[in-house]
């Protein structure tokens, strides 16, 4: 979507390796989110950020860490990838808390083998 | 873009008919609700939102109905078109939470 990009779009990695996914926005929005999408579970929140260096955990945060050193970038790191982390990862941004919904990126398909 | 092969309930309608997609939520404190559309290979897209002080809101060809008594949300799509074929998610939150919680989704298939 315009204003938010995710990279890489696809990645295959081996179990036990670290992986970092990047979300970049050009909208100067304060809030950024990482969700994962799996069959039967819909979208589940991993971590979110409400400002530079301000982050908090979501419902499925185990095995993931995040960093936000500047407004435009929100990084999701899998410290040691496991097969259960094979998923599609979506980043989202919002201008305000509970205002106007989120704008989502196009997603990253991650496969851990 | 990406999507997943979700094992979802499916609603199949004829082109031109009206569609109604339903969503139940469990948190009685939820006060903000959104419907999203996800097309194959793309991220979810905002359709319409509603706050708990309303029970109905209309957009272009879409209407959202909120029944707080039974914690039920519905999305009505008028004159459904092939381009409406997608997965539809409801999402909700309240002032005590910083993020949206999503439902598991419904797949809408429009038959020509």
């Amino acid at each position: 979507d315009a204003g938010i990009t995710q990279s890489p779009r696809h990645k295959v990695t081996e179990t036990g390796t670290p992986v970092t996914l990047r979300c970049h926005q050009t909208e100067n929005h304060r809030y950024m989110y990482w969700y994962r999408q799996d069959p039967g579970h819909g979208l589940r929140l991993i971590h979110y950020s409400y400002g530079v260096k301000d982050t908090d955990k979501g419902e499925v945060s185990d095995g993931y860490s995040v960093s936000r050193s500047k407004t435009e970038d929100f990084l999701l790191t899998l410290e040691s990838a496991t097969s259960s982390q094979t998923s599609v990862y979506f980043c989202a941004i919002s201008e305000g808390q509970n205002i106007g919904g989120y704008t989502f990126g196009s997603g990253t398909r991650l496969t851990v083998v | 873009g990406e999507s997943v092969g979700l094992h979802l309930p499916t609603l199949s309608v004829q082109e031109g008919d009206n569609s109604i997609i339903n969503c139940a939520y469990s948190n009685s404190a939820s006060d903000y609700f959104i419907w999203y559309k996800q097309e194959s290979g793309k991220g979810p897209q905002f359709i319409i939102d509603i706050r708990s002080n309303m029970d109905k809101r209309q957009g272009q060809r879409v209407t959202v109905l909120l029944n707080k008594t039974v914690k039920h949300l519905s999305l009505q799509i008028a004159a459904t078109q092939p381009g409406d074929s997608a997965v539809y998610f409801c999402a909700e939150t309240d002032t005590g939470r910083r993020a949206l919680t999503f439902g598991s989704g419904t797949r809408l298939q429009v038959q020509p």
Side-chain angles (χ1 to χ4, degrees):
Chain A
D1 280 38
I4 178 171
T5 55
Q6 292 184 234
S7 60
R9 299 291 297 276
H10 302 267
K11 185 170 182 65
V12 180
T13 192
E14 293 186 348
T15 298
T17 61
V19 177
T20 295
L21 308 183
R22 181 182 184 232
C23 179
H24 179 77
Q25 62 146 329
T26 57
E27 303 297 320
N28 201 35
H29 285 350
R30 177 181 176 187
Y31 296 89
M32 300 185 75
Y33 311 84
W34 278 106
Y35 283 85
R36 60 178 288 175
Q37 187 173 36
D38 303 289
H41 292 280
L43 289 148
R44 292 181 293 173
L45 181 68
I46 305 171
H47 281 278
Y48 61 93
S49 171
Y50 46 98
V52 173
K53 299 191 187 302
D54 291 323
T55 65
D56 207 347
K57 297 178 179 180
E59 61 180 299
V60 291
S61 61
D62 286 350
Y64 302 94
S65 63
V66 290
S67 67
R68 191 163 177 206
S69 59
K70 45 187 178 178
T71 299
E72 56 265 37
D73 289 325
F74 192 32
L75 304 180
L76 176 70
T77 298
L78 291 66
E79 301 292 344
S80 178
T82 68
S83 58
S84 65
Q85 294 176 312
T86 292
S87 187
V88 180
Y89 291 86
F90 286 99
C91 176
I93 60 175
S94 67
E95 186 172 8
Q97 185 177 336
N98 301 340
I99 299 174
Y102 299 171
T103 300
F104 281 85
S106 298
T108 295
R109 180 176 292 277
L110 177 67
T111 303
V112 183
V113 298
Chain B
E2 297 296 337
S3 64
V4 292
L6 302 173
H7 305 294
L8 299 168
T10 298
L11 174 64
S12 185
V13 301
Q14 292 294 125
E15 181 177 357
D17 286 352
N18 296 333
S19 303
I20 300 176
I21 301 170
N22 297 303
C23 177
Y25 63 95
S26 58
N27 187 350
S28 57
S30 295
D31 57 11
Y32 182 52
F33 305 86
I34 305 177
W35 280 100
Y36 284 88
K37 172 185 181 183
Q38 187 177 26
E39 297 175 285
S40 180
K42 297 183 179 180
Q45 296 174 283
F46 174 92
I47 302 173
I48 190 168
D49 61 358
I50 187 168
R51 297 197 179 273
S52 58
N53 60 351
M54 304 173 68
D55 54 20
K56 179 180 180 179
R57 191 166 187 221
Q58 290 183 293
Q60 186 177 9
R61 279 201 310 118
V62 296
T63 300
V64 55
L65 299 177
L66 175 62
N67 186 328
K68 296 180 289 293
T69 302
V70 296
K71 296 197 283 289
H72 183 267
L73 192 68
S74 68
L75 177 71
Q76 300 179 356
I77 303 173
T80 311
Q81 302 169 359
D84 295 325
S85 293
V87 177
Y88 290 81
F89 293 96
C90 64
E92 47 86 16
T93 191
D94 62 64
T95 53
R97 284 182 278 162
R98 294 183 185 270
L100 293 169
T101 299
F102 285 79
S104 55
T106 298
R107 187 181 304 279
L108 176 65
Q109 292 181 339
V110 182
Q111 308 298 328

